[in-house]
Amino acid sequence: MSDNYLEPPKRSVSQQPSKAQGSQKTNRKQFKNNIRNSFAYAQGSLDLPFLMTVLALLTIGLVMLFSASYPYAYQHDGDSYFYFKRQLLFAVAGVICMLFVSKLNYKWLKAARYLIYAGTFFLLVLVLFYHVDLQRGEDFRRWIPIGPITLQPSDIAKFTIILMMATYISRYHKRMSSLVYGVLFPALMVGAFCILIYAENHLSCTVLIFAIGVVMMFCGGTRWEWFLGGICLVAVVAFVVIKNPDILPGYQGDRIRAWTDKGFDPLGLRWQTNNSLYAIGSGGFFGVGLGNSKQKYLYVSEPQNDFIFSIVCEELGFFGATLILALFGILFYRGVKIAQRCDDKFSSMLVMGIVSQVAIQTIFNILVVTDTFPNTGIALPFFSYGGTAILMLCFEMGVVLSISRKVNTKKM
């Protein structure tokens, strides 16, 4: 037997791995590592319970939007699927945006804050002069027409004020106990946005922006004594306004009067609220069944918007409504847990601001629907119809998920 029998077969020159090929593989691997370690790339696993809760709320919201809107859509637009199709399109775009943002390093927001501030401020001023009247004759300056769609700058402003406050508090959190840094400067930032949004005849969002600012000041370290004084001042102003609704312009004073006087204008300003209460009451414990609401048949005006929760209560009952509120509670709880585990003040305040916005907006919507609060037209997150709103909400959820990647290396 020849000794060559024990030798491995020799590769041809074409089969030999070239140095160039090895170099290319090394370069590709190095490129991928550089991308992973770059400033713009968020590493780690995202918070799965938070993501699942967001997707659950979004899915239920789409189902309930279709159920609540198809009679109104057929009557006014000739297409039962009109609102559902548009909302579904924005929801899909929003989920894509959320997942994309969740892969980015959230610190780019801090780097781009001045551009975001300037852009939002410009839009809030622009809408006062260039807007579309969607309320059929009432002077609401809230929407900027862009071709076949509209843009609502106040939805963007909610995130911008959170970003502004998070940046400010991360820089001056050691001085937040003082009157100047803890109250005066934050009040000026929040107040500027409130004035512009109030000029749009958008009282509900003005109150929401104010509430977000107050919550972030509290979480940021403003002394409780200042909050006590502020609460007393707000209570005095609210008492004066309720007793003298005429001091508010136009529809705002009338809505206060309709809230305090249950017999005021039953076929006008009280119509939507009264029928909302009928819907909630007729739902009982388990509801009349999905799709079986009677109040959505042009009794609750525009049921796809601010009063969609009344249709939820009618069709799903107290049991279903409670489960939905529990999902909102889980979303807030997971957000707070993420914020608590952040190792920098900016990301912690950013998460607290975002989940507080969702919580405050949900509470305000339910207070309005149940006639506990005057009808101010505030949307229910994930449920109410609105393209800008759902896109911005998904963007914000993506920011929270991006931050969760950094803090989720430990068990929560």
Side-chain angles (χ1 to χ4, degrees):
M1 184 180 293
S2 171
D3 293 337
N4 292 335
Y5 179 80
L6 300 175
E7 294 179 4
K10 295 182 179 180
R11 292 183 181 180
S12 64
V13 176
S14 61
Q15 293 176 324
Q16 297 275 350
S18 66
K19 291 183 179 180
Q21 289 175 336
S23 177
Q24 288 177 357
K25 290 181 180 179
T26 303
N27 290 338
R28 283 197 295 268
K29 187 176 181 181
Q30 185 176 0
F31 177 75
K32 290 180 180 179
N33 289 334
N34 289 340
I35 291 294
R36 289 192 184 95
N37 297 325
S38 67
F39 173 81
Y41 187 83
Q43 300 185 57
S45 59
L46 51 76
D47 190 81
L48 192 58
F50 188 89
L51 174 62
M52 291 295 100
T53 305
V54 169
L55 294 177
L57 284 169
L58 193 58
T59 303
I60 298 171
L62 285 170
V63 172
M64 291 310 307
L65 176 76
F66 173 65
S67 179
S69 68
Y70 69 80
Y72 183 88
Y74 182 78
Q75 174 71 20
H76 291 270
D77 300 285
D79 180 6
S80 299
Y81 296 90
F82 178 79
Y83 295 107
F84 175 74
K85 288 188 296 188
R86 293 167 69 92
Q87 188 80 340
L88 179 62
L89 180 63
F90 281 110
V92 171
V95 171
I96 294 172
C97 174
M98 176 179 67
L99 296 177
F100 175 74
V101 172
S102 73
K103 292 294 292 182
L104 299 179
N105 191 325
Y106 65 91
K107 292 182 179 179
W108 72 269
L109 289 166
K110 195 172 185 179
R113 63 189 183 277
Y114 294 118
L115 183 61
I116 296 173
Y117 301 164
T120 305
F121 195 86
F122 171 76
L123 291 173
L124 289 174
V125 174
L126 177 63
V127 75
L128 298 177
F129 303 96
Y130 178 64
H131 59 271
V132 57
D133 182 12
L134 298 183
Q135 298 293 329
R136 297 189 177 94
E138 296 185 26
D139 191 20
F140 287 79
R141 299 178 290 274
R142 302 180 185 178
W143 298 272
I144 298 174
I146 305 176
I149 64 173
T150 58
L151 175 69
Q152 189 166 2
S154 57
D155 285 325
I156 301 173
K158 287 183 286 189
F159 173 73
T160 303
I161 197 66
I162 292 170
L163 178 61
M164 289 172 63
M165 292 294 292
T167 305
Y168 176 84
I169 293 171
S170 67
R171 184 174 182 180
Y172 297 107
H173 65 276
K174 293 183 179 179
R175 303 183 186 182
M176 288 294 290
S177 58
S178 70
L179 177 63
V180 174
Y181 287 92
V183 178
L184 183 58
F185 288 160
L188 289 174
M189 289 190 294
V190 175
F193 273 45
C194 285
I195 291 171
L196 287 172
I197 294 172
Y198 185 77
E200 301 175 6
N201 277 343
H202 201 174
L203 179 60
S204 58
C205 190
T206 304
V207 175
L208 179 59
I209 292 285
F210 175 79
I212 291 170
V214 169
V215 169
M216 294 196 70
M217 287 166 61
F218 180 79
C219 295
T222 300
R223 292 172 58 183
W224 67 268
E225 291 92 341
W226 305 124
F227 280 101
L228 184 60
I231 291 171
C232 293
L233 178 62
V234 170
V236 170
V237 172
F239 178 80
V240 172
V241 169
I242 291 171
K243 290 297 183 181
N244 304 278
D246 292 334
I247 65 178
L248 293 177
Y251 80 100
Q252 297 172 3
D254 291 337
R255 286 187 175 182
I256 296 293
R257 189 178 293 106
W259 176 58
T260 55
D261 182 4
K262 308 306 180 185
F264 178 82
D265 195 12
L267 299 179
L269 289 173
R270 283 291 307 180
W271 174 263
Q272 188 174 33
T273 302
N274 287 341
N275 283 284
S276 170
L277 296 176
Y278 298 152
I280 294 171
S282 62
F285 192 81
F286 289 109
V288 297
L290 183 63
N292 293 329
S293 165
K294 295 180 176 63
Q295 296 303 122
K296 67 185 176 185
Y297 286 94
L298 309 184
Y299 290 101
V300 175
S301 308
E302 299 190 18
Q304 75 279 4
N305 283 331
D306 310 327
F307 279 75
I308 190 172
F309 191 71
S310 63
I311 307 302
V312 170
C313 292
E314 184 181 8
E315 295 190 347
L316 304 184
F318 177 81
F319 181 75
T322 301
L323 290 180
I324 290 172
L325 293 180
L327 286 175
F328 278 109
I330 293 170
L331 185 76
F332 181 74
Y333 171 77
R334 295 302 300 182
V336 171
K337 294 295 288 184
I338 292 170
Q340 288 176 338
R341 296 180 67 86
C342 291
D343 57 3
D344 66 290
K345 199 71 174 178
F346 173 73
S347 60
S348 177
M349 292 305 304
L350 198 59
V351 174
M352 280 303 303
I354 290 172
V355 296
S356 295
Q357 173 206 320
V358 176
I360 294 169
Q361 194 167 331
T362 302
I363 292 170
F364 279 2
N365 177 270
I366 294 170
L367 291 177
V368 168
V369 167
T370 56
D371 200 25
T372 311
F373 200 75
N375 184 358
T376 57
I378 195 163
L380 181 64
F382 299 105
F383 283 74
S384 296
Y385 175 74
T388 309
I390 201 69
L391 281 174
M392 283 304 304
L393 191 57
C394 288
F395 171 83
E396 291 174 345
M397 298 302 102
V399 173
V400 176
L401 289 171
S402 172
I403 295 173
S404 76
R405 289 183 184 276
K406 184 178 179 181
V407 304
N408 207 36
T409 53
K410 299 178 182 179
K411 270 195 171 181
M412 299 181 77

